[in-house]
Every structure is written in C-alpha cells, then in structure tokens.
Amino acid sequence: MKIESIRLKNFKAFKDTLMSDMPKLCVIVGANGTGKTTFFDVFDFLKDAYKDNISQALNKRGGFREVKSRNSDGPIEIEMKLSDSSFKQPLTYFIAIEDENGTPIIKREKLGQILDFSRGKGFVVTNELEVLEAKIEKEEQTLARPDILAIKGLAQFQKFSVIMKLGSWIETWHISDFHINSAKQVQENGAAEHLSREGENLSLVTHRLYERYPAIFNEILEKLRQRVPGIHSVAAKVTEEGRVLLKFKDEHFKDPFLARHVSDGTLKMFAYLVLLYDTLKHPLLCLEEPENQLYPKLLWELAEEFRLYANRGGQVFISTHSPDFINALELDEVIWLIKNEGYTTIKRARDDKQVAAFMAEGDQMGYLWKQGFFNGVDPQ
C-alpha cells in the first residue's frame, strides 16, 4: 500500500496543505519550526489513534487545542489517497476530528465507498471487493465510543478484507527516533523481534538475527565492513547473568569493543542496516536527520540504501539538514517546507524551473540548496 497524496487541514502548522503525487522516497528540507517533525507526527498520530483512540492520541500531544492549528475554523482533517495492487483504483481515507464540550469525537470517517461513519455510527459495505461492479450491500454498525476509529473495530473481522489490510498497514508503520545513548544500553536477555523506536533493543535484535537469520546478519555485516574501516565482526553475547552485550571487533585488535566504546557513527550505521534489512519490512518508514554522527561521504550510500528499501515495497520519509545527503537525491525525491504567516506550505524541487534546469545540467541539489536556490526555505 502506498500513499499517493495527503491533505492536512488544521493540524498544527498545516492549516490547509496538499502533498500530491508522492514519491516512494520523500526527503523533506526546511528551516527549524517549518513543520518537518509535525509532518511525521501525522503518521504517529494516526498510529496512536488506531492503537488506542483519538482522545489518547490527542492527549499525548497536549490535547485538541494544541494539535489544532491556531486561529483556524473547522475540524482537524487528514485525507490520504491510497493505492495498492489489490485495489482496482485508489481509495481515499478521510478523518475529521472536532471537540464537543471538551470531548474529542470523530466527526466523519470514510474509506472510499466502503465505510462511512459519523460520531460512532455508520455503515460498512460487506461486498467491498465488488463495490464498483455490483449493488452495494451495507451493514449498519455502532461503535462503543465516538472517539474510536471505525477501521480499528472493523479490522478485527476477516470479511472486511480491505479494512483489515489498512489496519495491518498502519500497525506496521515505523517512526524512528533513534538515540545513540539508548542503543548503547546493556539489555536483559529477552525477546525483541524488531528494532524499537529509540533503538534501545539493538543488542537483542542483533542476537535474534545472528541466531535465526544468519544470511541476513552476514549481509548486514558485509555492508557495515564496506562503510566502516577496520570492522571485522559484530556479535551479541548473552552473559551468565542473562544480559545481552553488543560487541564490535576491529580487525587490528584481539579483543572486541563493547557498544558503549564504539563510535556513534559506527553504531548508528549498524542500527540503520539492521532496520533496513530486518525480516520485517515496514510499509512506511519515517526518519529524522539520519545524517547526524555520520561521515559525509557515507550519506550517499545511506541515501541509496533508503531508496532500495523504498523500491522493495516500503515508503520512506526523511527530514534532513545535510546538503551532502541532498546531493545524493533525485529531483522528484525532494520537497521543502516554507513558513508563511505562521502556517506551512510545500514546494516540490521538480516544480522549481531553475532548480530543475541546474539539475539537468549536472548540478547537485545539496549545493543548490546551500547556495540559496530553494526559494523561501531559509529563515527570514
């Protein structure tokens, strides 16, 4: 499943913004405060709302008033046009949220012609796969609360296969907020299937890959060797006390180093490779400023790794402040955010004639950005 377009209305800095024809790899540039983190938070918000409910997702962000755009009228609205090989045509998922006497409710929730709910009541089409070719068969439903997503409740039933697929898709989104200090922590032995948001379970995931998926682990290790001079091996060892230690072996030294003694860049590159080559392929992946702690020349290869991941079926969103990272990107993959009268607007690199002309002549976008050709992106 892929997001073809997303429209945000009254969501923090995005008062009324449309991003259409979205690429598989989308890299966002913008000055501090223009809305890069907020854009990622839209996906995090929907995932939280699906996991719990709208009320808890809003409370996690300070409540309805903190999420809704300042001095704006109407509800918070999120609309995504989705495509998938199993769909005969793109589907649009829409949700509108408003506050009624201090209580957030879902004013409207729609999924194409398949689902339409308002304030916890609505209908779902039972012959969803034939909805365009046959007479629609509707089933009335009432949710337990008006702040629960209808797709959450209905995704539990196999007969609603499209809704189930949408729910599974949202559940496996990954918004990375990788912290070096968290990844260096020693973990108690236990189960960890996949890398967590902050990466504190890196040693556990490494141990799992080493034990159960040696081919994947060796591929990760080989790519790490190509990028970090001297790295010979990586291992996750379980101590007698039941703790898992992540160790890196330099080919020039007899004894390996514990993760806390390895450079931040080495550990971060290893963590990204684990994330990108793990057995779980996240259909949507968001990362903020992956360039931090990495040597500039490595950013070209990292950008290519993200592009390969997107081409394997994921959709990747990245924010960056690095011209070196932008240099590795194609014209269609870059957008920049501009703050105008307190609200965020979006501009595509491909739509800027001057940037497109320079790129056609062989220039690199990072240098163009650094030289001021991304009109409006720099703070005034």
Side-chain angles (χ1 to χ4, degrees):
M1 196 174 292
K2 176 179 179 288
I3 301 174
E4 298 292 341
S5 68
I6 184 166
R7 184 179 69 85
L8 305 174
K9 189 172 182 180
N10 297 332
F11 192 97
K12 297 185 179 181
F14 294 94
K15 189 175 183 180
D16 195 354
T17 307
L18 172 66
M19 190 185 298
S20 58
D21 192 19
M22 299 177 72
K24 290 183 177 180
L25 172 62
C26 182
V27 179
I28 304 171
V29 176
N32 293 331
T34 52
K36 300 185 298 297
T37 299
T38 296
F39 179 73
F40 288 174
D41 193 45
V42 171
F43 303 116
D44 212 15
F45 172 79
L46 286 173
K47 187 174 180 179
D48 286 342
Y50 184 84
K51 178 183 176 183
D52 299 308
N53 54 56
I54 289 293
S55 296
Q56 291 192 42
L58 289 169
N59 290 337
K60 188 176 178 180
R61 292 157 178 82
F64 183 85
R65 289 187 178 182
E66 290 299 317
V67 176
K68 185 177 177 180
S69 301
R70 307 287 184 185
N71 302 321
S72 62
D73 297 321
I76 297 168
E77 296 181 7
I78 301 171
E79 181 179 276
M80 298 186 298
K81 182 179 287 187
L82 311 172
S83 64
D84 188 83
S85 58
S86 64
F87 299 166
K88 295 179 180 178
Q89 66 179 33
L91 282 175
T92 298
Y93 179 67
F94 171 81
I95 181 171
I97 305 159
E98 64 179 14
D99 184 87
E100 287 190 349
N101 301 318
T103 302
I105 59 111
I106 300 173
K107 181 181 180 181
R108 191 82 182 271
E109 182 182 7
K110 290 188 65 179
L111 177 62
Q113 299 181 58
I114 294 173
L115 176 151
D116 193 344
F117 274 68
S118 178
R119 293 176 168 82
K121 296 181 179 181
F123 72 83
V124 59
V125 173
T126 55
N127 61 335
E128 55 184 19
L129 295 179
E130 294 80 33
V131 68
L132 299 178
E133 300 176 359
K135 182 179 179 181
I136 294 176
E137 299 174 6
K138 297 181 179 179
E139 181 178 295
E140 301 291 330
Q141 294 279 350
T142 300
L143 302 173
R145 293 168 43 169
D147 64 345
I148 296 176
L149 292 178
I151 58 170
K152 175 182 179 179
L154 298 172
Q156 313 305 314
F157 300 94
Q158 289 188 350
K159 64 179 179 179
F160 304 128
S161 59
V162 174
I163 299 173
M164 282 184 65
K165 189 168 189 176
L166 177 61
S168 298
W169 177 63
I170 293 174
E171 280 186 314
T172 48
W173 288 354
H174 185 78
I175 293 82
S176 176
D177 187 20
F178 183 75
H179 291 179
I180 289 291
N181 290 335
S182 296
K184 289 184 176 183
Q185 294 177 5
V186 176
Q187 292 283 303
E188 298 294 330
N189 192 18
E193 287 294 310
H194 310 289
L195 198 64
S196 62
R197 184 188 186 106
E198 295 187 3
E200 73 279 353
N201 65 347
L202 178 60
S203 61
L204 300 181
V205 177
T206 300
H207 187 257
R208 166 184 162 271
L209 291 173
Y210 177 79
E211 292 287 336
R212 296 172 55 186
Y213 303 96
I216 293 175
F217 181 82
N218 288 332
E219 183 177 9
I220 292 170
L221 183 56
E222 181 57 34
K223 287 182 175 293
L224 185 67
R225 288 194 191 108
Q226 295 169 9
R227 290 159 174 76
V228 181
I231 289 293
H232 179 265
S233 63
V234 181
K237 301 294 185 182
V238 181
T239 68
E240 294 181 358
E241 297 80 15
R243 307 173 79 187
V244 180
L245 303 179
L246 187 59
K247 295 184 177 184
F248 291 75
K249 178 73 166 60
D250 190 302
E251 62 183 354
H252 298 99
F253 299 96
K254 178 181 178 181
D255 297 322
F257 298 95
L258 291 175
R260 64 175 179 267
H261 300 308
V262 173
S263 75
D264 290 352
T266 298
L267 193 61
K268 191 168 189 179
M269 177 59 77
F270 177 68
Y272 280 150
L273 291 172
V274 168
L275 176 63
L276 295 173
Y277 285 90
D278 194 5
T279 54
L280 174 63
K281 307 303 180 188
H282 298 286
L284 187 146
L285 182 62
C286 294
L287 303 101
E288 288 200 69
E289 301 176 25
E291 68 271 12
N292 293 340
Q293 291 96 29
L294 293 179
Y295 188 65
K297 287 188 177 181
L298 288 178
L299 300 181
W300 283 76
E301 297 183 32
L302 187 61
E304 182 60 24
E305 291 289 0
F306 289 134
R307 186 179 293 116
L308 289 172
Y309 188 88
N311 290 336
R312 292 197 297 267
Q315 193 165 13
V316 183
F317 295 94
I318 296 171
S319 69
T320 184
H321 287 148
S322 170
D324 293 291
F325 188 79
I326 294 293
N327 278 339
L329 301 175
E330 300 171 4
L331 193 64
D332 189 51
E333 295 171 337
V334 177
I335 70 171
W336 65 84
L337 305 184
I338 303 169
K339 205 70 169 287
N340 185 20
E341 297 182 355
Y343 302 109
T344 298
T345 56
I346 292 175
K347 190 163 185 177
R348 296 287 292 267
R350 71 177 189 190
D351 296 332
D352 189 291
K353 293 182 179 179
Q354 191 174 34
V355 171
F358 280 129
M359 288 287 289
E361 293 175 0
D363 280 306
Q364 295 175 344
M365 264 189 296
Y367 296 140
L368 296 175
W369 168 32
K370 199 171 182 179
Q371 293 169 21
F373 288 102
F374 283 19
N375 293 325
V377 72
D378 292 328
Q380 301 298 320

